[in-house]
Amino acid sequence: MSAFSTTRTRPTATLTESITTGGARRRTKRPYDSDVTRLLPRWLLVVVIAVIIAFIAAPVLYILFGSVNSDVAVARGEYFPSEFTLANYVEIWNTVALGQGLVNSLLTAGAVAVASAALAVSTAYVLVRFRFLGRLTILRGLLALQSIPGTLLLLPVFVVFANIASATGVQVIGTRWGLFVTYLTFALPFSTWVMVTYLRGLPKELEEAARIDGASSGRILRSVVLPLSWPGIVVSAIFAFLLGWNDVLFSTIMTTPNTRTVAVVLQVLGTTQEGGAVPIYGQMMAASIVCAVPVVALYLIFQRYLVGGLTAGSVK
């Protein structure tokens, strides 16, 4: 009887042992599993990343060091400041109208970002969720507008605004709202396409459930689509903001000394000479740091939404 019991339990023990061993073998991570998808060896990857970081950090540190250095020292080519001074950050406000330029840029670029995001999400919702004649033409037109250089549109926009002023007596050139309309013309197609790509990735089942409950299209857009679309909205708004913040071409032609944006103010500062000989490099770099702070702060605040908005969505 004992021999029979031994014979019967041995296969069971062997089976249990093999299952345990197999599970352990499957759970064991081989040393080269983590390197299967790696394109470069670890040491070479570290070198490449270090070179990229140094390539990016070197000019940024040069601007930072130059902003706390004297103009003569920077003109001599000093990388590290021989003497640290914050005088440049004090003098830039008196050398040029930097404060006024910051206010003009914040008002214009901020208004463009808000208006572009609001119009883009509603327009994209119609283009994605509804089928109508000319829908594909509009989508292709959004892409085609991105291929037109802004330089080609400078003269036509100027002529149109000048004709409007001649016909109606309403001055457009030299005003903030004229610059707002100009930037919105370029920002809206890109923002709309970003939202089209993002909304295509949202599940339709949520909207269908809301429609079954009796919600209208406007209610679905406000209560269902908007809460789920914040990453895409933030991405489109920030790109529209950067378009207005970094523009020099249109703001140079379309503004007056009272409505200059910060990009034009920096350009004016770059042509300013100290005593007619030495450019004020220290103030130029200090002004660049000050003008970069709003953009950096904007990115740090909305970083989580930026990553989600740039990686979500699908193209169909």
Side-chain angles (χ1 to χ4, degrees):
M1 188 70 178
S2 59
F4 178 78
S5 301
T6 304
T7 306
R8 293 294 301 270
T9 56
R10 187 173 299 167
T12 305
T14 304
L15 179 61
T16 305
E17 185 176 329
S18 65
I19 293 176
T20 306
T21 306
R25 185 181 297 112
R26 284 193 297 269
R27 288 193 300 268
T28 302
K29 187 177 180 181
R30 286 174 288 188
Y32 54 83
D33 282 347
S34 60
D35 298 334
V36 172
T37 58
R38 184 168 296 157
L39 299 177
L40 299 175
R42 183 180 295 274
W43 67 270
L44 185 57
L45 185 63
V46 172
V47 171
V48 171
I49 293 176
V51 170
I52 294 175
I53 293 176
F55 185 77
I56 296 174
V60 176
L61 291 176
Y62 180 72
I63 295 175
L64 184 61
F65 291 151
S67 66
V68 295
N69 202 354
S70 63
D71 298 327
V72 178
V74 177
R76 287 199 304 261
E78 290 186 4
Y79 187 86
F80 295 98
S82 55
E83 55 176 351
F84 289 88
T85 176
L86 297 178
N88 294 322
Y89 288 94
V90 178
E91 294 173 358
I92 55 177
W93 307 101
N94 299 322
T95 304
V96 290
L98 185 61
Q100 187 177 13
L102 286 172
V103 172
N104 291 333
S105 289
L106 287 174
L107 291 177
T108 305
V112 170
V114 174
S116 177
L119 293 174
V121 66
S122 56
T123 305
Y125 178 72
V126 174
L127 292 174
V128 171
R129 293 295 187 250
F130 297 94
R131 299 292 184 268
F132 53 88
L133 184 63
R135 171 179 170 272
L136 292 179
T137 304
I138 296 175
L139 290 174
R140 291 165 183 166
L142 293 176
L143 288 178
L145 289 174
Q146 304 303 314
S147 62
I148 301 177
T151 309
L152 297 179
L153 299 178
L154 178 61
L155 183 59
V157 170
F158 184 86
V159 172
V160 168
F161 286 172
N163 291 335
I164 291 176
S166 301
T168 62
V170 178
Q171 187 65 28
V172 181
I173 300 174
T175 61
R176 292 195 189 102
W177 72 269
L179 200 60
F180 163 79
V181 173
T182 304
Y183 290 155
L184 186 62
T185 304
F186 298 103
L188 188 57
F190 179 79
S191 299
T192 303
W193 185 256
V194 170
M195 291 308 305
V196 165
T197 306
Y198 187 85
L199 292 182
R200 280 174 171 170
L202 295 182
K204 296 181 181 179
E205 291 76 13
L206 297 176
E207 301 175 29
E208 294 173 354
R211 198 174 297 278
I212 291 175
D213 292 338
S216 61
S217 298
R219 180 64 182 275
I220 292 174
L221 178 62
R222 294 191 304 269
S223 303
V224 178
V225 177
L226 282 180
L228 298 175
S229 303
W230 276 115
I233 294 174
V234 170
V235 169
S236 61
I238 288 181
F239 274 95
F241 180 86
L242 292 178
L243 174 67
W245 186 268
N246 297 327
D247 176 70
V248 179
L249 181 64
F250 284 90
S251 57
T252 302
I253 305 300
M254 306 289 294
T255 58
T256 62
N258 294 328
T259 58
R260 284 175 178 169
T261 60
V262 70
V264 181
V265 173
L266 285 178
Q267 186 181 32
V268 173
L269 182 62
T271 59
T272 304
Q273 304 289 321
E274 183 180 13
V278 181
I280 48 179
Y281 291 121
Q283 293 187 40
M284 290 170 56
M285 296 184 182
S288 300
I289 295 294
V290 171
C291 295
V293 168
V295 178
V296 174
L298 194 67
Y299 173 79
L300 293 177
I301 293 172
F302 296 104
Q303 181 180 7
R304 178 167 59 93
Y305 294 100
L306 276 172
V307 174
L310 291 174
T311 57
S314 61
V315 180
K316 296 181 182 178

